[in-house]
Amino acid sequence: MRNTFGNIFTLTTFGESHGEAIGGVVDGMPADIEIDVDFIQSELNRRRPGQSSITTSRQEGDVVELLSGVFEGRSTGCPIGFIVRNTNQHSQDYENMRQLFRPSHADYTYFYKYGHRDHRGGGRSSARITISRVVAGALAKLALRKVGIQIYAYTSQVGDIRLDRDYRKYDLSLTETNIVRCPDPVKAAEMIQLITQLRTEGDTIGGVITGVVKGCPAGLGDPEFGKLHAALGSAMLSINAVKGFEYGEGFDGVTARGSEQNDVFVNHNGLVSTLTNHSGGIQGGISNGQDIYFRVAFKPVATLLREQDTVDIQGNTTKLTAKGRHDPCVLPRAVPVVESMAAMTILDYYLLNKTTKI
């Protein structure tokens, strides 16, 4: 089982959703970076459950404890170990699932591969494991600040309610002003209404998160098997419930002519730039200095609070009615996870081009 992400900046995660704690070890963190623990905690607060009426009602403090690699408020260059203790598990809510395979969950595949599984909340396959990614992503953001790279993400679609694909039309500072994390207040209200309606029906909905990387220098990535967009895609597709990834114009670009799609190079104040950015800031697998933008598609949450057909571990047909506290839409809490995976990827590839000290 692979539990480590990255090349130079790496994250190794551990823990299960109903175990004692979720945790990780970050290695390759550049030395002498100011470690703002309040910022790391604020990032976790954006991911934690119970934060609004459209997320799970489960209440978890999700308080991070840094165990190593930090001295007098700065990174030492040594591995940073951390844990976030689980404090509000209701394992009994999953007892009726011990012998059943939940539709569209990892229950069957885990059981088939390993012959044994933790049925409580999905164990290792639970979205709660993304806590470790958010902590590591916050550390990566702190390092990227020093070189002027900023990471943004926002909810751009819920169901059939969608924003214009051009992120430049929105004030991204408005993303955190509503509970669905959408920078368009009017669309945000429609999204919230849809999620609320589906929650009362015991149903769920998916959507799209848009990510933007600003200030990324040219030259990150390799032209063959180390393409930057491939690394970003791999990072995003490793997130629970993600079903698709595209960058730049993505699938919409296939209908354009080359004469419409090409990004023409120009001299802008003595620097090479482009008139347009259909490429999404990456050409030939290497960043070109323009904004990197991408979209990540999330499926509807698989746990429905209504009866579903399924089978048990012996293959017998049966019924399942899920219990517990679940999200009707994962997107609001997934925004910081998308940002975190982008931050870790960009920092890792930045360090591949540089020394281990920024």
Side-chain angles (χ1 to χ4, degrees), residues 13-140:
T13 71
F14 63 84
E16 297 82 34
S17 60
H18 285 239
E20 290 297 318
I22 306 296
V25 177
V26 169
D27 208 351
M29 179 70 178
D32 202 31
I33 300 296
E34 183 178 354
I35 304 301
D36 185 343
V37 179
D38 289 338
F39 171 73
I40 298 172
Q41 187 59 56
S42 70
E43 292 290 276
L44 276 176
N45 292 344
R46 295 171 68 209
R47 194 224 70 94
R48 69 175 175 81
Q51 59 183 280
S52 78
S53 61
I54 59 171
T55 64
T56 171
S57 61
R58 188 175 69 253
Q59 295 293 327
E60 292 270 6
D62 288 353
V63 178
V64 65
E65 302 174 40
L66 300 182
L67 306 177
S68 62
V70 179
F71 179 66
E72 294 183 341
R74 308 189 80 82
S75 59
T76 64
C78 298
I80 299 177
F82 62 89
I83 61 170
V84 174
R85 299 184 188 277
N86 294 325
T87 60
N88 192 18
Q89 311 99 308
H90 285 188
S91 298
Q92 67 276 9
D93 289 343
Y94 298 89
E95 192 57 34
N96 68 324
M97 305 177 191
R98 180 186 289 271
Q99 303 295 322
L100 306 180
F101 297 134
R102 295 172 296 169
S104 288
H105 283 77
D107 298 350
Y108 170 72
T109 52
Y110 267 54
F111 184 78
Y112 188 88
K113 182 176 179 66
Y114 300 108
H116 183 60
R117 68 181 175 92
D118 185 347
H119 67 282
R120 305 166 304 166
R124 189 73 175 142
S125 67
S126 170
R128 184 158 178 76
I129 306 303
T130 58
I131 282 174
S132 297
R133 301 173 182 228
V134 172
V135 174
L139 290 168

Side-chain angles (χ1 to χ4, degrees), residues 139-156:
L139 290 168
K141 285 182 179 181
L142 291 173
L144 291 174
R145 280 181 184 176
K146 197 167 182 179
V147 293
I149 300 175
Q150 296 177 301
I151 311 289
Y152 303 90
Y154 61 92
T155 299
S156 55

